[in-house]
Amino acid sequence: DNYIAVKRIDGVRPKTIALNELALNSLMNRIGYKVPIELITDSHINEWKEWSRSHHSPTTTNIYLAKIKTFFKFCYKKKYIRQELDIDMVMVDKKPPMYLSETKLGKLFRTDMVDEHFRKAFLFYAMTGCRLAEPFEGTLSGDWLIITPDVAKSHTTREVQLNQATKSILLEMLKRYDERIGQPMHGTYKNSHKGIIDTYSKEFKKCVKALGFSEHKFHNLRDTYAVRRWIETGDIHLVSKEIGHSSVTMTQKYA
């Protein structure tokens, strides 16, 4: 409770706090709520890892482990425990980025499976590298989309330069959002903030499934942007900055 309170004071986003609580509750459910924190050892963590591997994907296990590791660093700093726990991540098979080829992009942009508005939106994401919600949660300033720290995944400001085409598409997306937000049609979720944004991902899934490359996810439009920019510039630091990674290490996969 003290740890979560400090997180809130530090301005950590509610989603991140909720993830911390999920991870720590998962650990406590496994080893027991009444175990004194100073008695928790590496073996307790390993016991939880073994349990998690049979209940979660390796990626989810590592996300939880990262939150647990940070929690115990806090406990060590506060002298609740005498020494830091040795917490290692589990092995994860590294998969290459699932970018869309020129052929697939052409099919995606030309198909009549979805409304033209969504096809134009797919083009916007592929040309800007934005995450799904960023166009709707950022701020439009002239020819720039400003992603502020409160909505950016990396908690740092990112500026996305727009050209005539991408700015026009963004304005159309925002207009559609404004026309639908809060309107009572087909239930409340569909016209909620998240519901409107999720529509773009759902239309993408429907589209790629019909076109025969359903292995792709909406996020692959962002991967496509990153791969193309890496090929164009050969500058991994520039690409890292453009897509808003907190560390260039995260961007290395595109090379």
Side-chain angles (χ1 to χ4, degrees), residues 129-247:
C130 283
R131 295 182 176 90
L132 178 60
E134 288 178 341
F136 304 95
E137 296 181 344
T139 303
L140 183 60
S141 178
D143 292 332
W144 295 85
L145 174 64
I146 313 299
I147 314 297
T148 52
D150 57 316
V151 298
K153 189 175 180 180
S154 61
H155 305 290
T156 57
T157 298
R158 184 163 112 259
E159 299 178 349
V160 180
Q161 188 170 18
L162 306 172
N163 58 29
Q164 186 175 353
T166 51
K167 184 176 180 180
S168 174
I169 297 170
L170 175 58
L171 289 172
E172 187 178 316
M173 291 166 65
L174 294 176
K175 180 182 178 183
R176 180 181 182 277
Y177 177 93
D178 290 338
E179 290 173 349
R180 284 164 172 72
I181 188 70
Q183 292 297 316
M185 181 178 74
H186 305 302
T188 56
Y189 176 76
K190 188 172 183 179
N191 287 329
S192 66
H193 174 71
K194 192 173 188 304
I196 295 171
I197 295 172
D198 282 349
T199 303
Y200 292 87
S201 176
K202 290 176 180 177
E203 291 295 319
F204 179 86
K205 288 178 182 177
K206 179 174 75 175
C207 200
V208 295
K209 183 177 181 180
L211 291 171
F213 39 93
S214 58
E215 69 275 11
H216 285 286
K217 300 178 181 178
F218 186 88
H219 194 80
N220 294 152
L221 291 171
R222 175 173 160 85
D223 293 334
T224 301
Y225 170 84
V227 169
R228 288 161 66 101
R229 286 295 289 157
W230 162 242
I231 293 171
E232 290 170 6
T233 65
D235 188 339
I236 201 72
H237 293 278
L238 174 64
V239 177
S240 183
K241 181 179 179 181
E242 286 182 348
I243 63 178
H245 278 167
S246 57
S247 167

